[in-house]
Amino acid sequence: MKPKIFVTYPLAETAIQKLRRYFEVDINPEKRTLTQEELINSCQNKDGVLCLLTDNMNKTVIESCPSLKVISNYAVGYNNIDIGMANDRKIPVYYTPGVLTDATADLTLALILATTRRVVESDAFIRSGQFTGWSPDLLLGFDINGKTLGIVGMGRIGLAVAKRATAFNMSVMYTARHDKALKPYEYVSLDTLLEKADIISLHLPYTQENHHLINAQRLSQMKKTAFLINTARGPIVEEAALANALIAGKLAGAGLDVFEEEPKVHPDLLKLSQVVLLPHIGSATEDTRTNMALMAAENLVQFFFGQKTEHLVNPQALNT
Ligand code: GLV
Ligand code: GLV
């Protein structure tokens, strides 16, 4: 008998076809996030689940699905899953690192350029009929050439952003848990980075430790001319504090692809023209999403029939 898999969203057909070769597959046909109750019901008697970052695989869900042997997350971030609980139940959790690195790094650069060069504001300006002709002081922005990019969290995505920034003639400093010896990128403390960087971009996973890492105090350490970019996870930034800092002119602007309580956005941020807001589209390209679906499917195949250890979040769950 084939193992039974539940897929929480109708993902790319090529990935579903792959899954059907190995598994008995049940798919949520609707393009919406399931409620906790629906998620629990759908995972009953399933051996594995392929879920999204919007599926909250918390203690209750994991406890309520005793047959579940594996979780495959369609994301590089896995803060939607209670890893401690998965460890207790010896449930390995898989994720999709690597395949979305370039797409996310590209979108980070898009946000850096959009905020510093006021791209969205300029587009709105034209559409509202305000463009009456070229002028020397129309919608002036900030050069990134020769400026310093500060990267918080130097994993795959941080490094891919650093490479792109170098092509724009920026110098790059980063902070991480330890010095990764990534010359010419300069390893510094978070304090130094906040004080010196012209653009600060977040590329660390969300954990309890870095909840509100960027709070009022840290925002006040930044230059008044600095921009904050977040394509990582919303709760790393205290959104209300960010809105206040922007309103008070303690920061020049922000580019945000993620929010504290998605899909909600702090109402003050919606009013600020120096903020560019995107609906969590870091990895949202046709190719990348297909590759994520294929990797999430392959991770399940590997767990049931193969090597098991690639793209695994919690190797301790496989120890007996
Ligand atoms: C997207 O936010 C991801 O974690 O893949
Ligand atoms: C994600 O791929 C990261 O490690 O930054």
mmCIF file of all heavy atoms in Angstrom, residues 300-320:
data_model
loop_
_atom_site.group_PDB
_atom_site.id
_atom_site.type_symbol
_atom_site.label_atom_id
_atom_site.label_comp_id
_atom_site.label_asym_id
_atom_site.label_seq_id
_atom_site.Cartn_x
_atom_site.Cartn_y
_atom_site.Cartn_z
ATOM 1 N N LEU A 300 9.395 14.312 0.426
ATOM 2 C CA LEU A 300 8.531 13.230 0.928
ATOM 3 C C LEU A 300 8.969 11.884 0.343
ATOM 4 O O LEU A 300 9.027 10.873 1.049
ATOM 5 C CB LEU A 300 7.067 13.512 0.574
ATOM 6 C CG LEU A 300 6.412 14.641 1.377
ATOM 7 C CD1 LEU A 300 5.044 14.991 0.785
ATOM 8 C CD2 LEU A 300 6.268 14.254 2.848
ATOM 9 N N VAL A 301 9.306 11.907 -0.953
ATOM 10 C CA VAL A 301 9.768 10.667 -1.595
ATOM 11 C C VAL A 301 11.038 10.181 -0.884
ATOM 12 O O VAL A 301 11.185 9.002 -0.557
ATOM 13 C CB VAL A 301 10.028 10.888 -3.104
ATOM 14 C CG1 VAL A 301 10.621 9.631 -3.740
ATOM 15 C CG2 VAL A 301 8.743 11.300 -3.818
ATOM 16 N N GLN A 302 11.957 11.119 -0.639
ATOM 17 C CA GLN A 302 13.212 10.760 0.043
ATOM 18 C C GLN A 302 12.957 10.200 1.436
ATOM 19 O O GLN A 302 13.615 9.261 1.863
ATOM 20 C CB GLN A 302 14.141 11.977 0.131
ATOM 21 C CG GLN A 302 14.795 12.346 -1.187
ATOM 22 C CD GLN A 302 15.618 11.201 -1.764
ATOM 23 O OE1 GLN A 302 16.363 10.530 -1.064
ATOM 24 N NE2 GLN A 302 15.441 10.952 -3.052
ATOM 25 N N PHE A 303 12.005 10.801 2.129
ATOM 26 C CA PHE A 303 11.728 10.314 3.482
ATOM 27 C C PHE A 303 11.221 8.870 3.455
ATOM 28 O O PHE A 303 11.674 8.028 4.209
ATOM 29 C CB PHE A 303 10.714 11.209 4.203
ATOM 30 C CG PHE A 303 10.238 10.589 5.481
ATOM 31 C CD1 PHE A 303 11.077 10.528 6.585
ATOM 32 C CD2 PHE A 303 8.974 10.007 5.574
ATOM 33 C CE1 PHE A 303 10.660 9.914 7.764
ATOM 34 C CE2 PHE A 303 8.557 9.389 6.741
ATOM 35 C CZ PHE A 303 9.399 9.341 7.836
ATOM 36 N N PHE A 304 10.261 8.601 2.568
ATOM 37 C CA PHE A 304 9.658 7.263 2.571
ATOM 38 C C PHE A 304 10.505 6.224 1.839
ATOM 39 O O PHE A 304 10.488 5.050 2.195
ATOM 40 C CB PHE A 304 8.254 7.306 1.952
ATOM 41 C CG PHE A 304 7.227 7.899 2.883
ATOM 42 C CD1 PHE A 304 6.793 9.203 2.722
ATOM 43 C CD2 PHE A 304 6.707 7.147 3.946
ATOM 44 C CE1 PHE A 304 5.851 9.751 3.588
ATOM 45 C CE2 PHE A 304 5.765 7.690 4.812
ATOM 46 C CZ PHE A 304 5.335 8.992 4.630
ATOM 47 N N PHE A 305 11.250 6.653 0.816
ATOM 48 C CA PHE A 305 11.914 5.658 -0.043
ATOM 49 C C PHE A 305 13.409 5.883 -0.231
ATOM 50 O O PHE A 305 14.042 5.147 -0.970
ATOM 51 C CB PHE A 305 11.249 5.655 -1.433
ATOM 52 C CG PHE A 305 9.768 5.428 -1.386
ATOM 53 C CD1 PHE A 305 8.885 6.484 -1.582
ATOM 54 C CD2 PHE A 305 9.255 4.168 -1.123
ATOM 55 C CE1 PHE A 305 7.511 6.277 -1.532
ATOM 56 C CE2 PHE A 305 7.878 3.960 -1.069
ATOM 57 C CZ PHE A 305 7.002 5.014 -1.276
ATOM 58 N N GLY A 306 13.999 6.928 0.384
ATOM 59 C CA GLY A 306 15.377 7.250 0.010
ATOM 60 C C GLY A 306 16.295 7.531 1.179
ATOM 61 O O GLY A 306 16.286 6.853 2.202
ATOM 62 N N GLN A 307 17.080 8.601 1.003
ATOM 63 C CA GLN A 307 18.169 8.897 1.938
ATOM 64 C C GLN A 307 17.727 9.637 3.203
ATOM 65 O O GLN A 307 18.419 9.599 4.205
ATOM 66 C CB GLN A 307 19.229 9.755 1.224
ATOM 67 C CG GLN A 307 19.953 9.016 0.116
ATOM 68 C CD GLN A 307 20.748 7.840 0.639
ATOM 69 O OE1 GLN A 307 21.319 7.912 1.720
ATOM 70 N NE2 GLN A 307 20.760 6.746 -0.107
ATOM 71 N N LYS A 308 16.643 10.353 3.132
ATOM 72 C CA LYS A 308 15.997 11.000 4.279
ATOM 73 C C LYS A 308 16.659 12.256 4.830
ATOM 74 O O LYS A 308 16.044 13.006 5.566
ATOM 75 C CB LYS A 308 15.847 10.028 5.464
ATOM 76 C CG LYS A 308 15.047 8.828 5.116
ATOM 77 C CD LYS A 308 14.774 7.978 6.337
ATOM 78 C CE LYS A 308 13.956 6.782 5.871
ATOM 79 N NZ LYS A 308 13.356 6.041 6.928
ATOM 80 N N THR A 309 17.943 12.481 4.561
ATOM 81 C CA THR A 309 18.642 13.490 5.349
ATOM 82 C C THR A 309 18.760 14.862 4.692
ATOM 83 O O THR A 309 19.118 15.826 5.348
ATOM 84 C CB THR A 309 20.061 13.010 5.698
ATOM 85 O OG1 THR A 309 20.680 12.565 4.501
ATOM 86 C CG2 THR A 309 20.014 11.895 6.695
ATOM 87 N N GLU A 310 18.477 14.975 3.398
ATOM 88 C CA GLU A 310 18.599 16.292 2.758
ATOM 89 C C GLU A 310 17.396 17.160 3.076
ATOM 90 O O GLU A 310 16.264 16.661 3.157
ATOM 91 C CB GLU A 310 18.693 16.106 1.233
ATOM 92 C CG GLU A 310 20.125 16.153 0.750
ATOM 93 C CD GLU A 310 20.202 16.631 -0.695
ATOM 94 O OE1 GLU A 310 19.254 16.387 -1.457
ATOM 95 O OE2 GLU A 310 21.218 17.243 -1.031
ATOM 96 N N HIS A 311 17.649 18.455 3.223
ATOM 97 C CA HIS A 311 16.567 19.439 3.439
ATOM 98 C C HIS A 311 15.759 19.126 4.689
ATOM 99 O O HIS A 311 14.556 19.365 4.741
ATOM 100 C CB HIS A 311 15.640 19.516 2.218
ATOM 101 C CG HIS A 311 16.378 19.591 0.916
ATOM 102 N ND1 HIS A 311 15.924 18.988 -0.220
ATOM 103 C CD2 HIS A 311 17.540 20.196 0.585
ATOM 104 C CE1 HIS A 311 16.781 19.206 -1.212
ATOM 105 N NE2 HIS A 311 17.765 19.939 -0.740
ATOM 106 N N LEU A 312 16.446 18.569 5.664
ATOM 107 C CA LEU A 312 15.790 18.170 6.909
ATOM 108 C C LEU A 312 16.066 19.226 7.982
ATOM 109 O O LEU A 312 17.220 19.577 8.217
ATOM 110 C CB LEU A 312 16.338 16.795 7.325
ATOM 111 C CG LEU A 312 15.866 16.203 8.637
ATOM 112 C CD1 LEU A 312 14.356 16.005 8.639
ATOM 113 C CD2 LEU A 312 16.563 14.860 8.856
ATOM 114 N N VAL A 313 15.016 19.718 8.613
ATOM 115 C CA VAL A 313 15.169 20.738 9.649
ATOM 116 C C VAL A 313 15.679 20.126 10.954
ATOM 117 O O VAL A 313 16.502 20.719 11.645
ATOM 118 C CB VAL A 313 13.802 21.434 9.909
ATOM 119 C CG1 VAL A 313 13.878 22.347 11.126
ATOM 120 C CG2 VAL A 313 13.336 22.192 8.669
ATOM 121 N N ASN A 314 15.165 18.970 11.309
ATOM 122 C CA ASN A 314 15.398 18.415 12.652
ATOM 123 C C ASN A 314 15.926 16.983 12.608
ATOM 124 O O ASN A 314 15.185 16.027 12.858
ATOM 125 C CB ASN A 314 14.098 18.478 13.464
ATOM 126 C CG ASN A 314 12.938 17.764 12.767
ATOM 127 O OD1 ASN A 314 13.001 17.494 11.559
ATOM 128 N ND2 ASN A 314 11.901 17.453 13.509
ATOM 129 N N PRO A 315 17.234 16.827 12.304
ATOM 130 C CA PRO A 315 17.803 15.462 12.207
ATOM 131 C C PRO A 315 17.546 14.626 13.463
ATOM 132 O O PRO A 315 17.462 13.399 13.371
ATOM 133 C CB PRO A 315 19.309 15.718 12.036
ATOM 134 C CG PRO A 315 19.426 17.123 11.557
ATOM 135 C CD PRO A 315 18.235 17.863 12.092
ATOM 136 N N GLN A 316 17.413 15.299 14.622
ATOM 137 C CA GLN A 316 17.204 14.547 15.864
ATOM 138 C C GLN A 316 15.920 13.719 15.835
ATOM 139 O O GLN A 316 15.802 12.722 16.541
ATOM 140 C CB GLN A 316 17.240 15.468 17.098
ATOM 141 C CG GLN A 316 16.225 16.610 17.104
ATOM 142 C CD GLN A 316 16.754 17.876 16.441
ATOM 143 O OE1 GLN A 316 17.270 17.850 15.321
ATOM 144 N NE2 GLN A 316 16.598 19.003 17.107
ATOM 145 N N ALA A 317 14.963 14.111 14.968
ATOM 146 C CA ALA A 317 13.708 13.362 14.891
ATOM 147 C C ALA A 317 13.911 11.984 14.259
ATOM 148 O O ALA A 317 13.075 11.093 14.414
ATOM 149 C CB ALA A 317 12.672 14.139 14.090
ATOM 150 N N LEU A 318 15.025 11.811 13.533
ATOM 151 C CA LEU A 318 15.271 10.517 12.890
ATOM 152 C C LEU A 318 16.051 9.570 13.796
ATOM 153 O O LEU A 318 16.142 8.382 13.528
ATOM 154 C CB LEU A 318 16.060 10.709 11.584
ATOM 155 C CG LEU A 318 15.309 11.350 10.415
ATOM 156 C CD1 LEU A 318 16.229 11.460 9.204
ATOM 157 C CD2 LEU A 318 14.054 10.571 10.052
ATOM 158 N N ASN A 319 16.626 10.107 14.886
ATOM 159 C CA ASN A 319 17.366 9.237 15.808
ATOM 160 C C ASN A 319 16.370 8.417 16.626
ATOM 161 O O ASN A 319 15.381 8.948 17.104
ATOM 162 C CB ASN A 319 18.222 10.074 16.781
ATOM 163 C CG ASN A 319 19.235 10.899 16.020
ATOM 164 O OD1 ASN A 319 19.596 10.547 14.897
ATOM 165 N ND2 ASN A 319 19.666 11.993 16.629
ATOM 166 N N THR A 320 16.687 7.167 16.771
ATOM 167 C CA THR A 320 15.748 6.325 17.523
ATOM 168 C C THR A 320 16.183 6.199 18.970
ATOM 169 O O THR A 320 17.287 6.539 19.332
ATOM 170 C CB THR A 320 15.628 4.923 16.894
ATOM 171 O OG1 THR A 320 16.934 4.491 16.550
ATOM 172 C CG2 THR A 320 14.759 4.966 15.665
#
